[in-house]
Amino acid sequence: MTGIDSPTTADRVRQIAVAVSAVLAIIGSYIGSGAAGGTQVQNAANGALSASSTPIAPDGPAFSIWSIIYLGLVAYAVWQFLPSQTTRERHRRLGYWVVASLLLNAAWILVVQAGFLILSVFVIIALLGVLARIFVLVLRTRPSGVVDTIITDGTLGLYLGWVCVATAANITAAFVGSGIGSADGPAAGVWAIIVLAVAGAVGILLAVVGRGRIAPMLSLCWGLAWVAVGRFTGELLSTEAGVTALIVAVVVAVVTVVVRVSRGRDRAALVGA
């Protein structure tokens, strides 16, 4: 698609759906932050998602990344409304997947606020699956320019990377909250190493499949770095988890850069051939 054909009714419905779901996600975030006077997400469900609930929980400041992600999602909602973007195949393919991610995001906050910690695991896994699909679609569709790359690829990449960390923390919190494990028992450090290693494997997979995409790496490493901060300086101390989180973050960052540089060299070789 060139982006210059006439918009259809389906295009308009999709655009409105994206915009409305973005508003709902922001409302959910407003409620979840406690700005409306309620309980903050980290204090909901008996504090199961607080910075000291499990060795995988990122320290409080890590969640400030949501401000950037929400700003990017609002920018995307506006961007896909522009005449130059309305009929592009990229947005036609991404639109309802973005809607699904935003609605699941809002649903997750409401579920946690209601105290349904186990249900929140299923919701965030569904969200991660949707974002993985979005990642594939982003890779398969060409951006219209630098602005599209920043708004679409950048925002959705940050979204995916952070939710990878959030999913690991959410699942661990559900296990601890169900009595299957403990936050500071003898095996806590071992389980933390295993879960963080899995998060690192996912980060490496994203780097390879995404051909060195920077955005997912940045948010995933951001989350891992704050896991380390929480384990070294927070209420729940764990040298094993802190060191592992740092090592995993460095490995994911290095692999991403190496893949990206290698891809650049391959392109240069093709051009010079």
Side-chain angles (χ1 to χ4, degrees):
M1 290 291 178
T2 61
I4 58 176
D5 50 320
S6 299
T8 65
T9 300
D11 286 323
R12 298 307 186 194
V13 172
R14 166 180 49 79
Q15 289 175 312
I16 293 172
V18 171
V20 170
S21 60
V23 171
L24 291 176
I26 291 173
I27 292 174
S29 174
Y30 181 76
I31 295 172
S33 68
T39 304
Q40 293 183 340
V41 166
Q42 58 266 36
N43 297 324
N46 296 318
L49 298 172
S50 68
S52 60
S53 60
T54 73
I56 312 300
D59 203 18
F63 297 93
S64 62
I65 195 173
W66 274 118
S67 299
I68 299 173
I69 293 172
Y70 281 127
L71 180 61
L73 289 170
V74 170
Y76 177 77
V78 173
W79 175 250
Q80 53 100 39
F81 254 117
L82 298 182
S84 63
Q85 303 299 315
T86 296
T87 60
R88 289 194 177 275
E89 186 65 19
R90 160 170 265 218
H91 302 307
R92 284 175 169 169
R93 297 179 69 182
L94 283 172
Y96 285 110
W97 287 102
V98 173
V99 169
S101 78
L102 290 166
L103 294 179
L104 284 169
N105 190 347
W108 182 86
I109 293 174
L110 296 177
V111 165
V112 171
Q113 287 286 1
F116 301 131
L117 190 58
I118 299 299
L119 180 58
S120 74
V121 171
F122 291 97
V123 175
I124 202 167
I125 289 175
L127 174 57
L128 182 60
V130 168
L131 290 173
R133 176 58 180 167
I134 287 173
F135 188 60
V136 171
L137 292 175
V138 167
L139 293 174
R140 292 179 178 176
T141 54
R142 186 181 297 275
S144 60
V146 175
V147 176
D148 191 32
T149 299
I150 294 172
I151 293 177
T152 305
D153 300 52
T155 297
L156 298 176
L158 288 175
Y159 197 1
L160 172 60
W162 173 253
V163 170
C164 286
V165 177
T167 300
N170 197 165
I171 292 174
T172 306
F175 279 137
V176 172
S178 301
I180 298 176
S182 63
D184 55 1
V190 175
W191 279 109
I193 292 172
I194 293 172
V195 173
L196 290 168
V198 171
V202 172
I204 292 172
L205 179 64
L206 291 177
V208 174
V209 174
R211 301 184 291 275
R213 294 284 175 128
I214 297 296
M217 178 272 289
L218 288 177
S219 54
L220 194 150
C221 289
W222 167 268
L224 291 172
W226 279 106
V227 169
V229 171
R231 301 298 72 78
F232 289 136
T233 64
E235 295 180 21
L236 180 59
L237 302 178
S238 173
T239 301
E240 301 97 326
V243 171
T244 302
L246 288 179
I247 292 174
V248 170
V250 171
V251 170
V252 170
V254 169
V255 170
T256 302
V257 171
V258 168
V259 170
R260 189 172 186 84
V261 170
S262 298
R263 180 189 174 205
R265 288 176 179 172
D266 291 342
R267 282 184 171 181
L270 287 173
V271 172

